[in-house]
């Protein structure tokens, strides 16, 4: 058997003002990602190479290109990366299995469904018999083109995405079985007509994930995924979809997808995250008598959803409240970092922080700060399996009024408390920790927190799902309407 592996993807926030070009992709690997440290979207390549080599199978590795979430991908950049992958595939032929690590919500100028486009072109090269498997982030748009061209698609089940490696193992097993003729995977989906975010560590989603898994490996059901959807993608097929892979029986796959999709729909009201305003959350956390910090998640400014990560709304609320022992980070502010670095550790200076990228970032905040520590080339963990993500250079700035900030140079969400370790910050000394992240922070921060509050502010990914300005979504959806199924009589 010969296996071809590659990564190409990003999560496109079509409402984000920054285009996704080569600079956003950062380091692109041309066939050697598995010789380097795993990150979230190269991890599947490590798994797939290892599993194939264990069996003595041939492995052809192509590009590994993943851009952190930002705006629409530049057309020439998408086409060049795609064509490099396809050219490598042609050279690698004959290939029995193609395994692709994708995101599922990549939009390029002229391509609303990049994954569908890529899978269609891969299928044209390898022919109808070879197996195509794909691993997707659960914040994906699952399209009809994708499920008709691939044999096996599996999304992460957990948000935070702590199961990337487990899902990569699953994709490999399902595709290897199919290539060896043990199974004949077929897929079906069901559109739950919902646009929202779903937190899987807590009920009712925790139980729903367990329920999805309870069907797998029995009665011809090979895999069950829930594509949560990515709300800030203006594409026709945005929204939550159930996806089932069954062995040879498409009707069975469709029936289970519908059954679970309707169950999800029926519990829609109970999956909603309660949000606090910045002022309410600042007052609650600052006034609390907890022995551990209270974490405020600044969800609308999550770089992981395409936001700038330099908004100041929560920082302003803490300063207005005259909060003590509060820490806000990561604020993406390379200019403030440069000035702080130049001043040096121990220096006290007036610094203008954040609020630089546009109206959704709020106003910049002028603070008198002491530079406590500068750290370079900082990394942070993603999950507990050795996956590391870039932070860039970072500065711990101690505010004279009780609110500290960490500014950094690589636009990213805050995934894990270990991002602060090179700065020597003792997180236990704070009452309030503001994290610019929607949910990925949870795995690392919940264990050290007395409580976690989700805060809504203006921002690029404001969780106001009823009012997102879609132009391509024609179907009614909840929460824009209360009961979209009753409207269409289905
Ligand atoms: Zn995601």
């Amino acid at each position: 058997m010969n296996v071809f592996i590659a990564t190409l993807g990003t999560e496109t926030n079509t409402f984000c003002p920054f285009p996704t070009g080569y600079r956003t992709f950062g380091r692109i690997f041309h066939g050697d990602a598995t010789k380097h440290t795993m990150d979230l979207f190269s991890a599947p390549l490590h798994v797939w190479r290892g599993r194939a080599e264990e069996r003595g199978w041939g492995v052809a590795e192509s590009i590994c290109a993943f851009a952190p979430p930002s705006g629409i991908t530049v057309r020439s950049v998408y086409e060049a990366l795609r064509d490099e992958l396809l050219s490598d595939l042609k050279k690698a032929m004959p290939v029995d299995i193609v395994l692709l690590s994708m995101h599922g919500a990549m939009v390029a100028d002229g391509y609303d469904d990049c994954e569908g486009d890529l899978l269609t072109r891969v299928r044209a090269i390898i022919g109808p018999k070879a197996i195509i498997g794909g691993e997707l982030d659960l914040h994906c748009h699952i399209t009809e083109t994708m499920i008709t061209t691939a044999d096996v698609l599996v999304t992460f089940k957990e948000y935070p995405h702590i199961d990337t490696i487990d899902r990569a193992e699953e994709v490999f097993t399902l595709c290897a079985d199919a290539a060896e003729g043990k199974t004949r995977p077929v897929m079906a989906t069901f559109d739950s007509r919902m646009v929202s975010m779903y937190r899987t560590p807590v009920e009712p989603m925790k139980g729903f994930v367990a329920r999805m898994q309870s069907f797998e490996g029995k009665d011809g059901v090979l895999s069950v995924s829930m594509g949560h959807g990515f709300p800030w993608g203006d594409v026709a097929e945005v929204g939550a979809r159930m996806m089932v892979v069954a062995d040879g029986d498409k009707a069975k796959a469709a029936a289970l997808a519908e059954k679970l999709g309707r169950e999800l729909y029926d519990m829609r009201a109970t999956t909603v995250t309660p949000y606090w305003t910045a002022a309410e959350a600042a007052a609650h956390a600052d006034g609390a008598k907890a022995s551990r910090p209270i974490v405020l998640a600044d969800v609308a400014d999550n770089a992981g959803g395409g936001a700038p990560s330099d908004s100041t709304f929560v920082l302003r609320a803490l300063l207005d409240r005259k909060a003590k022992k509060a820490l806000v980070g990561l604020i993406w502010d390379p200019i403030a970092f440069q000035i702080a670095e130049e001043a040096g550790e121990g220096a006290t200076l007036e610094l203008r922080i954040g609020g630089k990228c546009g109206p959704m970032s709020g106003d910049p905040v002028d603070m008198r700060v002491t530079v406590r520590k500068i750290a370079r080339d900082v990394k942070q963990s993603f999950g507990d399996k050795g996956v590391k993500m870039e932070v860039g250079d970072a500065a711990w700035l101690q505010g004279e009024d009780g609110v500290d900030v960490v500014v950094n140079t690589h636009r990213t969400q805050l995934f894990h408390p270990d991002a602060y370790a090179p700065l020597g910050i003792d997180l236990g000394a704070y009452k309030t920790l503001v994290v610019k992240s929607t949910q990925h922070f949870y795995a690392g921060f919940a264990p050290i927190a007395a409580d976690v509050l989700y805060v809504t502010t203006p921002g690029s990914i404001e969780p106001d799902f009823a009012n997102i300005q879609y132009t391509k979504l024609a179907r009614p959806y909840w929460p824009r309407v209360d009961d979209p199924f009753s409207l269409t009589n289905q």
Side-chain angles (χ1 to χ4, degrees):
M1 291 275 178
N2 285 319
V3 184
F4 177 89
I5 60 176
T7 295
L8 176 56
T10 184
E11 179 180 73
T12 302
N13 180 333
T14 60
F15 302 99
C16 169
F18 315 134
T20 299
Y22 281 119
R23 188 186 292 270
T24 315
F25 273 90
R27 184 165 187 187
I28 294 170
F29 295 97
H30 302 274
D32 62 348
T34 53
K35 294 196 174 81
H36 295 84
T37 322
M38 280 193 279
D39 65 24
L40 186 59
F41 288 89
S42 72
L45 303 188
H46 288 257
V47 172
W48 295 336
R49 175 179 282 282
R51 291 286 301 275
E53 287 178 349
E54 266 165 36
R55 296 173 178 226
W57 293 358
V59 177
E61 180 175 338
S62 179
I63 57 166
C64 179
F66 190 84
S70 204
I72 292 172
T73 309
V74 176
R75 184 177 189 131
S76 58
V77 172
Y78 167 63
E79 289 177 344
L81 293 169
R82 176 198 69 193
D83 292 350
E84 182 179 341
L85 187 158
L86 296 173
S87 158
D88 287 348
L89 177 59
K90 283 182 194 151
K91 283 184 220 141
M93 289 296 285
V95 164
D96 304 288
I97 303 175
V98 172
L99 299 176
L100 299 173
S101 163
M102 300 177 286
H103 184 286
M106 183 178 194
V107 177
D109 181 16
Y111 300 90
D112 276 3
D113 177 13
C114 290
E115 291 81 5
D117 174 62
L118 176 64
L119 289 165
T120 303
R121 289 166 195 270
V122 166
R123 179 58 79 197
I125 293 168
I126 64 173
K129 291 217 174 79
I131 301 298
I132 303 178
E135 179 170 357
L136 305 169
D137 188 293
L138 52 74
H139 296 116
C140 55
H141 314 299
I142 299 174
T143 67
E144 199 56 31
T145 308
M146 287 160 66
I147 67 155
T148 50
T149 48
D151 297 283
V152 170
L153 293 173
V154 168
T155 73
F156 306 156
K157 284 192 174 63
E158 299 290 349
Y159 182 39
H161 305 327
I162 51 176
D163 60 336
T164 319
I165 288 173
D166 296 336
R167 298 289 81 78
E169 299 274 3
E170 183 180 338
V171 169
F172 187 90
T173 303
L174 295 179
C175 291
D177 286 352
E180 289 175 328
K182 295 179 192 160
T183 57
R184 192 171 66 80
V186 289
M187 292 193 284
T189 62
F190 180 78
D191 173 10
S192 291
R193 303 184 191 187
M194 299 162 67
V195 173
S196 188
M197 299 290 270
Y198 314 87
R199 295 177 296 131
T200 60
V202 295
E203 297 296 352
M205 291 310 297
K206 188 175 179 189
F208 188 71
V209 170
R211 181 155 166 73
M212 283 159 58
Q213 286 176 311
S214 73
F215 289 95
E216 293 178 330
K218 303 175 200 151
D219 302 328
V221 174
L222 300 175
S223 171
V224 180
S225 290
M226 174 187 163
H228 292 202
F230 180 63
W232 299 277
D234 185 17
V235 294
E237 293 174 274
V238 65
R241 275 185 175 70
M242 296 304 304
M243 177 166 63
V244 174
V245 188
D247 186 5
D249 188 343
K250 187 152 179 141
K252 178 176 277 182
L256 182 57
E258 174 161 2
K259 176 187 167 78
L260 290 170
R262 287 189 184 272
E263 285 180 22
L264 174 71
Y265 177 76
D266 287 343
M267 60 189 200
R268 61 196 179 284
T270 59
T271 61
V272 173
T273 302
Y275 290 105
W276 298 62
T277 66
E280 286 165 357
H284 180 85
D286 188 51
K289 297 270 180 285
S291 58
R292 291 189 290 170
I294 292 182
V295 170
L296 311 188
D298 185 3
V299 302
D301 195 32
N302 171 15
S309 196
D310 80 331
S311 91
T312 53
F313 299 104
V314 184
L315 174 60
R316 184 82 262 162
L318 288 163
L319 292 169
D320 288 350
R321 160 88 195 174
K322 299 194 177 359
K324 302 295 174 208
K325 297 184 184 172
L327 176 68
V328 181
L330 299 162
I331 294 179
W332 179 54
D333 195 335
I335 298 171
F337 173 82
Q338 194 177 317
I339 295 168
E341 183 189 38
E342 189 74 350
E345 291 176 1
T348 297
L349 70 160
E350 300 285 342
L351 198 55
R352 177 159 285 196
I353 294 168
K356 295 184 171 70
C357 289
M360 291 301 165
S361 295
D363 294 328
V365 171
D366 293 316
M367 292 176 68
R368 187 169 177 78
V369 298
T370 299
V371 181
R372 289 292 304 273
K373 182 87 180 161
I374 300 282
R376 290 182 183 78
D377 194 21
V378 177
K379 302 276 193 294
Q380 58 178 335
S381 293
F382 187 103
D384 58 2
K385 295 199 171 139
V387 174
K388 295 285 180 191
M389 309 297 274
E390 296 282 339
V391 171
D393 300 336
W396 172 20
L397 307 172
Q398 184 173 37
E400 67 175 0
D401 297 321
V403 180
D404 295 0
V405 301
V406 173
V407 293
N408 72 315
T409 59
H410 178 82
R411 191 166 69 87
T412 177
Q413 70 181 295
L414 181 58
F415 290 107
H416 196 277
D418 66 7
Y420 290 146
L423 292 167
I425 296 175
D426 173 12
L427 292 179
Y430 289 96
K431 292 177 71 165
T432 305
L433 297 176
V434 179
V435 298
K436 290 183 176 289
S437 171
T438 305
Q439 184 63 9
H440 285 310
F441 72 93
Y442 193 89
F445 279 90
I448 62 164
D451 200 359
V452 174
L453 311 183
Y454 294 83
V455 183
T456 180
T457 63
S460 298
I461 57 164
E462 191 174 353
D464 181 8
F465 304 115
N467 294 305
I468 294 177
Q469 298 298 305
Y470 296 121
T471 63
K472 296 178 179 173
L473 171 58
R475 311 169 331 271
Y477 73 91
W478 174 85
R480 184 169 291 177
V481 299
D482 281 344
D483 189 359
F485 282 98
S486 72
L487 283 180
T488 49
N489 251 346
Q490 284 178 42

